[in-house]
Amino acid sequence: MKPQVFDANTLKKIATSKLLVVGAGGIGCELVKCLSLSGFRSLSIIDLDTIDVSNLNRQFLFRREHVDKPKSLVLKEQIEAQNPNIKIEAYLGKIQEPRFGFEFFSRFDLVINALDNEAARKHVNQLCYNLGKPLIDAGTNGYEMTCIAIAKNRTPCYECIERSRD
């Protein structure tokens, strides 16, 4: 018998949840891989960047032939090739674009940031807070890394949490 980490109710919730991952770089690549291996079946990924040669040493799913291609699209292809049970929608663009507004965010059960951009993190925080969507903020700011869960009326929002401002 195979050991099971999650009970049946949790596995069902994982399989039916719709997640949005904002960022497909160093944190985003590893995060999407782990979500896929955990049984999530419906993910959307947004990233505004293309793959650069300097990404290849830390973003393990990207190869030399992927250089200059959109990170979100390559990540989608790589994960779907490994897991035929997952459906990923990939978007190339800036999270502050109007197409990624309230209507777009309302489709998701959970939003996860994997960003190194403070303005983008604040923007996602505001959207999630206003919609009452839970947000996990995993990101970097220089050499500092944070990972915090944010839920309206249960935890402070991203902008309310005191952080060092070096």
Side-chain angles (χ1 to χ4, degrees):
M1 187 158 125
K2 199 160 90 171
Q4 192 170 324
V5 176
F6 302 115
D7 64 35
N9 288 335
T10 303
L11 287 172
K12 183 178 180 184
K13 193 167 189 169
I14 286 171
T16 59
S17 292
K18 295 180 188 257
L19 275 62
L20 172 62
V21 176
V22 185
I27 294 171
C29 276
E30 184 67 18
L31 174 65
V32 171
K33 178 205 76 174
C34 290
L35 293 170
S36 171
L37 293 172
S38 297
F40 287 93
R41 294 184 180 167
S42 179
L43 298 176
S44 291
I45 306 165
I46 301 172
D47 197 285
L48 61 81
D49 208 359
T50 57
I51 298 165
D52 184 75
V53 172
S54 67
N55 301 137
L56 302 180
N57 71 339
R58 66 186 178 282
Q59 295 166 11
F60 68 96
L61 290 171
F62 300 155
R63 307 282 183 261
R64 185 162 297 279
E65 65 266 19
H66 299 138
V67 171
D68 295 328
K69 293 182 180 177
K71 288 181 178 181
S72 58
L73 299 176
V74 172
L75 182 54
K76 167 193 166 56
E77 290 169 1
Q78 295 290 87
I79 295 297
E80 286 181 342
Q82 295 175 5
N83 181 355
N85 297 317
I86 196 166
K87 181 183 180 305
I88 298 176
E89 292 183 24
Y91 299 90
L92 174 63
K94 192 173 182 179
I95 193 63
Q96 293 95 330
E97 292 176 27
R99 66 183 170 139
F100 302 127
F102 289 115
E103 187 177 317
F104 180 82
F105 268 70
S106 66
R107 298 181 357 208
F108 302 100
D109 300 306
L110 174 66
V111 178
I112 307 174
N113 275 344
L115 296 167
D116 61 359
N117 178 295
E118 189 76 11
R121 291 165 87 173
K122 287 179 180 180
H123 179 77
V124 172
N125 172 69
Q126 284 295 316
L127 284 168
C128 289
Y129 183 83
N130 288 331
L131 288 167
K133 297 284 180 187
L135 168 65
I136 297 175
D137 181 78
T140 58
N141 186 6
Y143 291 112
E144 181 182 316
M145 196 283 181
T146 59
C147 184
I148 53 175
I150 301 166
K152 186 175 183 175
N153 299 325
R154 296 179 68 194
T155 68
C157 71
Y158 176 78
E159 293 181 68
C160 302
I161 297 169
E162 190 170 322
R163 296 179 298 281
S164 63
R165 306 280 184 203
D166 295 338

